[in-house]
Amino acid sequence: MTAPLALVAALTLTLVPAAAESPRPYTYTCDRFVPHPHGTAAEGHCEAPFEAASLGMIRGRFVLKARDWGGGSVVCEGAGPDAASGFAELPERVVGEPCRRGA
């Protein structure tokens, strides 16, 4: 391999990040689940980790829990890892779509 090609190969190996495990999905916890025409919603004193979206679009997989449902939860995820899967308006409410029972 010539020197310029070796340099390009070395830079490529150092600049391309290694595949990493996906982070665990963020969990949003609210007081109660409520009916919503466009998905699953929970409202009242909603909390989430600092890194999670607190106002606006939620992308990727997340867990939505309700305190009045015995801590029961639903898992919401869009069509892909970066696809829209919900909307947060903390601390008032969180809406997810599509969602399924269980975490």
Side-chain angles (χ1 to χ4, degrees):
M1 193 180 309
T2 64
L5 288 177
L7 181 60
V8 169
L11 287 174
T12 302
L13 290 175
T14 57
L15 296 177
V16 175
E21 249 182 68
S22 332
R24 292 185 62 124
Y26 295 123
T27 298
Y28 290 83
T29 304
C30 302
D31 287 344
R32 63 197 158 277
F33 286 115
V34 294
H36 192 278
H38 301 292
T40 302
E43 65 181 20
H45 303 99
C46 298
E47 301 173 331
F50 176 76
E51 304 84 15
S54 61
L55 179 62
M57 187 74 62
I58 301 171
R59 296 191 174 279
R61 185 174 188 229
F62 72 95
V63 176
L64 184 54
K65 288 187 169 189
R67 294 179 188 96
D68 77 339
W69 206 36
S73 62
V74 296
V75 177
C76 307
E77 56 189 315
D82 291 322
S85 54
F87 193 84
E89 294 178 276
L90 299 186
E92 290 83 18
R93 73 187 54 82
V94 177
V95 178
E97 182 187 10
C99 303
R100 59 180 164 64
R101 261 188 145 175

